[in-house]
Amino acid sequence: MQPTYYTTIESPIGALMLVGDDVKLRGLHFVEGRRRREPEPGWVHDPAPLAYAERQIAEYFAGSRRVFDLPLETGGTPFQRAVWSALEQISYGETISYGMLAERIGNPRAVRAVGLANGSNPIALVIPCHRVIGANGSLVGYGGGLDRKTYLIDFERRMASRGEPERLVSGGLALQA
């Protein structure tokens, strides 16, 4: 069985804890705030196995990445996984309501359940639960706090208004963001 690694990285929205192995990201949590997460017993603190995720998160905050290309392991119920999959389909810089998200998963009457699944998202930012807003356009329900949600939505809208991101160059290889 693969060990579970974790590391903490700094970001414009505060410290983030990455959890996973050298293949899949299993968690991205806030270190501070109402829904902060602590490392579990048995987890190994080692940034090296999570460097692949740290690099893409840095690219996102640099404005050069709009779509994450990370292998994920979310766990969760089939309903939660359906919601999280639908979250990944929300375009960068866009927002939708919880009702619209419920419609997208084919269950328009499950707005509250969608909200609960959204709030249980284990991989914040990468699975963009911050892009879901209230039906009236208000910012509601974000485990990282509304200040972080506001920052992320405003950041993505600013970056999206600039057009396509620049090509990334890493180690001499050109990567398309």
Side-chain angles (χ1 to χ4, degrees):
M1 183 172 162
Q2 285 259 32
T4 298
Y5 298 103
Y6 76 96
T7 190
T8 303
I9 62 172
E10 291 300 320
S11 79
I13 58 172
L16 303 171
M17 181 173 62
L18 306 177
V19 180
D21 56 34
D22 55 359
V23 178
K24 292 184 179 180
L25 184 64
R26 294 191 177 119
L28 192 153
H29 308 283
F30 298 103
V31 173
E32 300 171 343
R34 182 178 58 114
R35 298 202 51 192
R36 67 178 172 261
R37 180 84 190 264
E38 299 287 331
E40 293 184 14
W43 288 2
V44 178
H45 182 261
D46 186 353
L50 296 160
Y52 64 95
E54 183 177 357
R55 182 181 70 248
Q56 288 195 24
I57 292 165
E59 292 166 355
Y60 169 86
F61 283 116
S64 58
R65 175 171 294 280
R66 296 184 181 182
V67 176
F68 289 99
D69 182 22
L70 296 169
L72 306 176
E73 178 62 48
T74 59
T77 67
F79 181 81
Q80 287 173 322
R81 288 192 306 270
V83 171
W84 300 334
S85 179
L87 288 171
E88 291 180 294
Q89 304 309 309
I90 304 170
S91 297
Y92 180 92
E94 300 293 324
T95 57
I96 67 170
S97 71
Y98 290 94
M100 292 169 66
L101 186 57
E103 288 178 19
R104 286 189 181 187
I105 65 164
N107 199 342
R109 297 179 62 163
V111 176
R112 287 181 190 249
V114 162
L116 289 172
N118 197 48
S120 298
N121 173 13
I123 308 176
L125 184 66
V126 174
I127 299 176
C129 54
H130 61 276
R131 296 177 186 160
V132 183
I133 60 174
N136 64 359
S138 63
L139 300 184
V140 295
Y142 188 61
L146 293 183
D147 55 336
R148 287 184 176 117
K149 185 171 190 163
T150 300
Y151 177 90
L152 292 170
I153 289 171
D154 291 347
F155 171 76
E156 288 186 2
R157 286 182 176 158
R158 270 193 328 274
M159 292 298 110
S161 71
R162 293 181 179 178
E164 289 300 313
E166 297 291 320
R167 290 178 59 82
L168 300 173
V169 178
S170 174
L173 299 173
L175 306 172
Q176 184 64 45

